Amino acid sequence: MRALFALICLFALTATMPASAQVLDLSTVKCKDFVESGERNISLILMWIQGYYTEEDDPPLIDFDKMAENGKKLGEYCGKNPSAGLITAADEVLK
């Protein structure tokens, strides 16, 4: 069942991606770029950040309320510090 769910998610993600591959190096993204990147990109980046800051032993859950809360905190920080690096901001806000 888990494998089927993963396959469906993978298909859904790839179906919405553009034909050409895109790579985003988050270590080079500034807060200003993040805030101005659009709702879809912000959501995808927040999903990645949520996984990055999840402990290895944590259960495999996606807490959308927590992700929204973290996104709000990150947005507030980035609004005050537009030239800060996104990963630096996430380290400050989410650790």
Side-chain angles (χ1 to χ4, degrees):
M1 184 68 162
R2 228 183 245 186
L4 178 61
F5 179 71
L7 184 61
I8 291 170
C9 288
L10 178 63
F11 177 75
L13 285 173
T14 56
T16 61
M17 291 180 153
S20 64
Q22 293 182 0
V23 176
L24 178 61
D25 181 355
L26 291 178
S27 69
T28 65
V29 174
K30 301 293 182 196
C31 274
K32 181 179 186 292
D33 302 325
F34 169 69
V35 171
E36 295 175 352
S37 68
E39 186 177 334
R40 181 170 180 250
N41 287 337
I42 289 172
S43 297
L44 290 170
I45 292 169
L46 284 175
M47 183 67 76
W48 182 89
I49 287 173
Q50 188 72 30
Y52 184 77
Y53 286 96
T54 298
E55 295 293 327
E56 185 175 344
D57 295 335
D58 284 352
L61 301 174
I62 299 173
D63 185 339
F64 290 102
D65 291 335
K66 182 178 179 183
M67 192 169 51
E69 179 183 320
N70 288 341
K72 183 178 178 184
K73 290 178 188 177
L74 192 56
E76 288 172 357
Y77 182 94
C78 283
K80 294 175 185 173
N81 305 283
S83 63
L86 180 60
I87 298 302
T88 301
D91 285 343
E92 287 289 320
V93 174
L94 304 178
K95 277 200 171 181

